[in-house]
Amino acid sequence: MAVNAAQSHGAGIEQALAACAGGDKNALRRIYDQECPRMIGVAQRMLKRRALAEEAVQDSFILIWRHAGRFDPQRGSGLTWIYAILRNRSLSILRDERRMEIDESPIGQEAASEEDDPETVVAKLSDAKALRGCLETLPAPRRGMVLLAFVQGLSHGEIAGKLGMPLGTVKSWIRRSLIALKECLG
């Protein structure tokens, strides 16, 4: 029963996206009414501040409206497409916020980019010697997962997909790594 409800919800989103592509503002409103609270929650987990999360969601709906015609159901579900827009917008806001911070932040002169591998990210943590030292005590695969999660903002599911590992393994390795980092940092 729950699978049918999820499928029908996804189909409703995809129909609404098709209507948005045709200029139907009410379709955008339906998407907004259904997804806005959940989208704010997702954005707030990434951005840590409600105001920034609301900005990310607002910007995402503008992008959804402008680019609804680009949605291709052959490439994935409507929900996946919407949340990819939200994730990308949230990451852009995070990058913009980091640029505006004073150099007292733990990330040094060079900010990490999504293209950097985990070892490059560790090298860029120039002002956070204690954190870098503790990260270097972790085995390379576990350190990489922690950095993918907290520097690049990937979810556990995204990390599992990127590394081709089971989700449970990723979750437990990250959890154990965070416990080890906490103990190391005292």
Side-chain angles (χ1 to χ4, degrees):
M1 187 78 171
V3 171
N4 288 339
Q7 287 173 340
S8 123
H9 176 67
I13 295 292
E14 292 174 11
Q15 290 170 349
L17 285 170
C20 284
D24 182 355
K25 291 180 182 177
N26 289 325
L28 184 67
R29 182 67 188 188
R30 286 192 307 272
I31 296 170
Y32 180 87
D33 290 343
Q34 288 178 9
E35 294 302 317
C36 182
R38 194 173 347 190
M39 290 173 77
I40 287 176
V42 169
Q44 194 164 351
R45 280 194 299 278
M46 291 180 72
L47 299 169
K48 309 295 186 229
R49 293 185 7 221
R50 176 78 182 198
L52 291 178
E54 289 173 353
E55 177 185 339
V57 171
Q58 179 180 348
D59 292 352
S60 296
F61 275 100
I62 291 168
L63 292 169
I64 290 166
W65 176 252
R66 286 183 184 160
H67 302 296
R70 295 182 185 174
F71 169 67
D72 180 3
Q74 300 299 317
R75 296 183 66 199
S77 76
L79 284 173
T80 301
W81 187 76
I82 288 170
Y83 282 91
I85 289 172
L86 176 64
R87 178 184 173 277
N88 291 335
R89 186 64 199 121
S90 296
L91 288 173
S92 293
I93 289 171
L94 269 177
R95 281 189 291 271
D96 292 345
E97 286 291 306
R98 285 186 185 139
R99 281 188 204 116
M100 293 171 56
E101 289 176 359
I102 301 175
D103 284 343
E104 296 170 354
S105 67
I107 305 282
Q109 298 294 330
E110 296 180 74
S113 72
E114 287 188 48
E115 292 77 35
D116 289 339
D117 68 340
E119 299 308 315
T120 304
V121 172
V122 171
K124 289 183 179 179
L125 292 172
S126 61
D127 293 340
K129 290 182 174 65
L131 178 58
R132 185 173 7 157
C134 290
L135 279 168
E136 288 174 353
T137 65
L138 296 174
R142 288 175 47 188
R143 177 175 54 237
M145 285 182 193
V146 169
L147 293 170
L148 286 171
F150 293 97
V151 175
Q152 294 183 5
L154 299 182
S155 70
H156 291 143
E158 290 168 326
I159 294 168
K162 183 173 187 162
L163 300 177
M165 297 179 71
L167 179 60
T169 302
V170 170
K171 286 182 177 182
S172 65
W173 280 19
I174 290 175
R175 186 177 149 279
R176 283 189 234 141
S177 298
L178 292 176
I179 291 168
L181 287 174
K182 184 177 179 181
E183 289 173 358
C184 179
L185 291 169

